Amino acid sequence: MSARYSLTVKSHFDAAHFLYDYPGACCELHGHTWDVEVTVEGTELDELGIVYDFKALKSDLATVLETYDHRNLNDIEPFSTVSPTAENLARIIYEALVQVVDSRVQVAEVAVWESPIARVAYRVA
């Protein structure tokens, strides 16, 4: 088994959405303060003894989340056709982060909290 470092940061954004064909109140427009956690992993430390700078990861996450802040998620691709569930949001954020995070580390997990007691996580095995 090889040792790995895991680094996690958390941010949030406010946005509205509605779920397509949902059999309940969530099919109506409503909002959340979405908390988003991202975890990256790596095996090597740089010359400063850091696997990935917290500041850099916070910036990477902010870059991705600014697309959604104070918006109706249903108006943003791919959510015009893909229901903006917490599950789909976690996957889409994960895929966006893979494009911006330094290649020295891997995006291990993205967790989306749609409330203080409801969390979904997306990771690729």
Side-chain angles (χ1 to χ4, degrees):
M1 173 171 40
S2 64
R4 299 185 67 75
Y5 297 95
S6 290
L7 179 100
T8 302
V9 298
K10 185 176 182 179
S11 189
H12 72 275
F13 66 95
D14 297 303
H17 75 148
F18 59 89
L19 302 182
Y20 303 121
D21 302 318
Y22 186 81
C26 290
C27 70
E28 300 295 333
L29 184 65
H30 63 284
H32 297 278
T33 295
W34 303 86
D35 286 324
V36 179
E37 296 175 357
V38 58
T39 300
V40 297
E41 293 183 343
T43 58
E44 300 293 325
L45 302 182
D46 67 11
E47 63 280 354
L48 300 173
I50 297 172
V51 68
Y52 195 59
D53 194 331
F54 280 112
K55 182 177 178 181
L57 187 55
K58 289 175 189 176
S59 177
D60 295 339
L61 183 55
T63 297
V64 170
L65 297 186
E66 71 184 352
T67 302
Y68 307 112
D69 194 33
H70 286 84
R71 301 280 308 275
N72 177 350
L73 298 180
N74 300 78
D75 293 339
I76 302 168
E77 292 302 326
F79 299 120
S80 63
T81 56
V82 174
S83 197
T85 61
E87 291 85 351
N88 283 328
L89 189 56
R91 178 180 52 81
I92 298 299
I93 292 171
Y94 177 98
E95 291 169 353
L97 282 167
V98 166
Q99 300 301 312
V100 297
V101 168
D102 188 285
S103 62
R104 293 185 308 107
V105 293
Q106 290 181 296
V107 179
E109 179 178 279
V110 170
V112 171
W113 295 77
E114 71 170 27
S115 77
I117 61 169
R119 173 189 185 266
V120 64
Y122 181 83
R123 61 185 148 291
V124 175

